[in-house]
Amino acid sequence: MTSAQAREGAVALVTGASRGIGLAVARALAKCGHRLVMTAREPDALEAAVAALRAEGAQAVGCPGGVADSGRARAAVDLATSEFGRLDVLVNNAATNAPYGALMDVDLTRWRAAFTVNVESALHLTQLAWRAWMREHGGAVVNICSEGASHVGPNVGAYGTSKAALLHLTAQLAGELAPLVRVNSVSPGLIRTEMARFVWEGAEEQLAASLPLARIGEPEDVARAVTWLASDAAEWVTGTDVLVDGGTSVRAAAGGTAPYAVHERLRAAAPREP
């Protein structure tokens, strides 16, 4: 068994799994031997993603609906136990980067919506997974946070603050659910996803030059970290955040003194609403 290979029959639930990081995580977990329950807001996109993984040999089912809908969250966990009889791994990936702009201008209804998607849904799904399977059998939870949780940046205050809350939630749950359930997080830097397209499109060379590892990230970079945390290779790791950022956090030590290129893009860009 390889270091990240799943235990026999293991089942993983991945949210926001129709594209980007979520799809890459689902694909990587499937290659390690996990059976999959995948969720996403858009039914057609989810159906296509599930079909693609099945064509690659994965055992996968889809449960359409956004994680902010408590009924759909419960349906996803119920599907895992009814279809596969267990739920070993939960990856809380679904997120929104809205509202976008200065916090003094933010609409508080949309602020609360961001926390519902980015923080509350992770707690709720973890509660459901705990009650349905993990309380008796153990498991692993991996939350997708953000390197932006640790610093401020223009126009993404709501997103960064919610991800900082998710980072703390990860540590809190790790303490509460030990020793049966390990809870960790992965914090990506700039990744080539649709949600971040407004940042990287047309500026890849500039952005890559600002990073010690000289490229922006790919969803597969994040997926490899998730599969490790979900596996027995990380069996003595909990309450930890794995930073997958191409060296963003050490760019000053590596000789980078110019303003962070992503921040310059965030100041100038007008993102499409997710």
Side-chain angles (χ1 to χ4, degrees):
M1 186 168 75
T2 64
S3 61
Q5 191 169 346
R7 294 183 181 183
E8 185 176 357
V11 175
L13 167 57
V14 183
T15 69
S18 65
R19 64 184 188 181
I21 290 172
L23 180 56
V25 167
R27 177 172 281 116
L29 288 171
K31 288 179 179 178
C32 291
H34 289 82
R35 297 175 291 170
L36 297 170
V37 176
M38 301 161 62
T39 81
R41 289 180 302 170
E42 298 295 333
D44 291 346
L46 178 62
E47 182 179 357
V50 170
L53 292 194
R54 285 177 175 171
E56 297 169 10
Q59 295 186 60
V61 294
C63 186
V67 293
D69 183 329
S70 60
R72 298 315 300 162
R74 183 175 298 277
V77 172
D78 288 347
L79 182 59
T81 55
S82 64
E83 181 77 14
F84 297 124
R86 58 194 296 166
L87 178 53
D88 304 274
V89 174
L90 169 63
V91 181
N92 289 307
N93 166 70
T96 178
N97 62 2
Y100 182 84
L103 291 186
M104 291 302 96
D105 300 322
V106 73
D107 176 82
L108 293 181
T109 298
R110 301 188 70 214
W111 164 273
R112 286 188 288 270
F115 276 77
T116 298
V117 174
N118 295 351
V119 187
E120 184 180 310
S121 70
L123 173 59
H124 187 218
L125 278 159
T126 303
Q127 289 175 332
L128 293 170
W130 168 260
R131 294 163 186 162
W133 178 261
M134 293 183 180
R135 175 166 49 192
E136 300 297 328
H137 306 279
V141 177
V142 184
N143 296 322
I144 306 301
C145 291
S146 170
E147 59 93 15
S150 62
H151 60 77
V152 300
N155 295 321
V156 289
Y159 179 76
T161 304
S162 68
K163 290 296 188 177
L166 182 59
L167 200 62
H168 185 84
L169 178 66
T170 299
Q172 183 68 33
L173 289 174
E176 292 191 13
L177 302 188
L180 277 177
V181 177
R182 297 182 299 104
V183 187
N184 293 288
S185 60
V186 175
S187 284
L190 179 61
I191 306 295
R192 194 194 310 274
T193 64
E194 189 65 29
M195 191 169 84
R197 178 178 292 276
F198 74 97
V199 180
W200 57 261
E201 189 169 47
E204 292 186 55
E205 185 175 338
Q206 173 199 8
L207 292 166
S210 75
L211 296 172
L213 294 187
R215 67 172 175 87
I216 65 174
E218 301 293 344
E220 292 74 19
D221 293 315
V222 182
R224 283 188 284 270
V226 173
T227 55
W228 175 69
L229 287 172
S231 76
D232 287 350
E235 66 180 357
W236 210 51
V237 178
T238 197
T240 291
D241 181 60
V242 176
L243 192 60
V244 181
D245 70 346
T248 299
S249 59
V250 297
R251 64 186 182 277
T257 57
Y260 184 24
V262 168
H263 286 183
E264 298 305 307
R265 292 286 292 178
L266 288 171
R267 287 189 182 95
R272 187 184 68 190
E273 288 295 331

